[in-house]
Amino acid sequence: MDWSLLALAGAGLFLAGIVKGATGLGYASCALPFLVSAIGLKPAMALVIIPAMATNVSVAFTAGHFTETARRFSRLYVAMLPGIAVGICLLVWIAQSIAVRTLGIIIIGYVLMTLYRPHLLLPKTYEHALQVPTGFANGVLTGLTGSQVMPLFPYMMALDLDPNRMVQAINLAVMLASVCLAAGLFSAGVLTPELAVASLLAVIPALIGVEFGNRMRAHIPAAQFRSVVLYVLLGTGVLLLIRS
């Protein structure tokens, strides 16, 4: 990568941090579309891992309900692990353009779900039955694209959880998926030592962006800013589909 691409990647990491701090949207889902355009999918997945973990780690200790959530969704979390392994195998095996298109579809789906918040309601009888397929599918898409939100996000929405429990449930999934994804990408040779160092350094612009976004939240209309960001993400998702 030349310096212009590194600068573009750094700007993407910083902007994703601002969005995370100001709106609470997922860090990796915001950063990946910009990074993929700059450096390609596989390096982007490796680069975003440690910043994504760093920007989520505090949530585990502030959202509450940690033990309760871990027990309630334990089968979903465990099912993600083999799914991530399958996804990484697909990432190595298939053409990168297919993985990029899949990422574009995921980003578009995530944005539409977040913008329009359809009223989904999953009966209690199906909550446990769907944990394993949801966790496995989420793991496959995480390993293939680096984005950790689908189908986890609509599943959690359909349970009608209170905000703190939903944030904690999604956060625990993202934390676990990030650790397993890092291990899998390292084993597959995608996360090289050089990219691991770069990912560690990328925490700096990410956390600066989060802090900047936290401060912005008090001075901007959050709902309007969130909508603008989501429409920008929608556009990047469409571009990923068109350009791949």
Side-chain angles (χ1 to χ4, degrees):
M1 289 188 294
D2 59 32
W3 285 106
S4 61
L5 290 181
L6 286 173
L8 185 58
L13 292 162
F14 175 70
L15 288 173
I18 291 176
V19 172
K20 173 72 176 178
T23 68
L25 294 171
Y27 182 83
S29 295
C30 293
L32 277 170
F34 301 105
L35 294 178
V36 168
S37 299
I39 60 177
L41 178 61
K42 291 179 183 178
M45 288 173 62
L47 188 61
V48 82
I49 283 178
I50 298 179
M53 285 191 284
T55 55
N56 280 285
V57 68
S58 63
V59 179
F61 301 101
T62 58
H65 316 291
F66 182 94
T67 304
E68 172 198 328
T69 302
R71 287 176 178 169
R72 179 173 178 177
F73 299 108
S74 58
R75 292 192 291 178
L76 185 150
Y77 297 146
V78 171
M80 287 194 308
L81 308 185
I84 291 172
V86 171
I88 291 173
C89 289
L90 288 173
L91 176 69
V92 173
W93 178 60
I94 66 175
Q96 182 167 294
S97 60
I98 298 174
V100 172
R101 286 192 204 103
T102 304
L103 175 61
I105 293 169
I106 290 172
I107 296 298
I108 292 169
Y110 174 59
V111 168
L112 293 177
M113 293 288 295
T114 306
L115 273 173
Y116 299 108
R117 293 271 176 171
H119 184 65
L120 305 174
L121 188 60
L122 189 66
K124 274 284 186 182
T125 51
Y126 294 107
E127 176 184 334
H128 294 293
L130 290 177
Q131 281 197 26
V132 170
T134 299
F136 182 79
N138 206 81
V140 172
L141 293 176
T142 295
L144 179 61
T145 69
S147 180
Q148 304 155 343
V149 293
M150 299 294 279
L152 178 69
F153 186 56
Y155 171 80
M156 292 297 177
M157 283 180 62
L159 297 180
D160 198 26
L161 302 170
D162 69 71
N164 283 339
R165 283 180 170 83
M166 183 170 178
V167 167
Q168 183 67 280
I170 293 175
N171 178 71
L172 286 177
V174 169
M175 292 285 292
L176 177 62
S178 296
V179 172
C180 296
L181 182 62
L185 292 178
F186 182 79
S187 299
V190 175
L191 179 59
T192 63
E194 293 81 6
L195 277 173
V197 172
S199 184
L200 186 61
L201 293 174
V203 171
I204 298 171
L207 292 183
I208 292 173
V210 169
E211 179 59 25
F212 193 72
N214 285 334
R215 295 186 180 186
M216 283 177 60
R217 203 164 44 203
H219 304 287
I220 61 173
Q224 288 87 336
F225 181 71
R226 183 184 177 94
S227 295
V228 169
V229 168
L230 286 168
Y231 281 116
V232 170
L233 282 178
L234 182 63
T236 60
V238 172
L239 283 176
L240 289 176
L241 282 177
I242 294 172
R243 294 174 58 184
S244 58

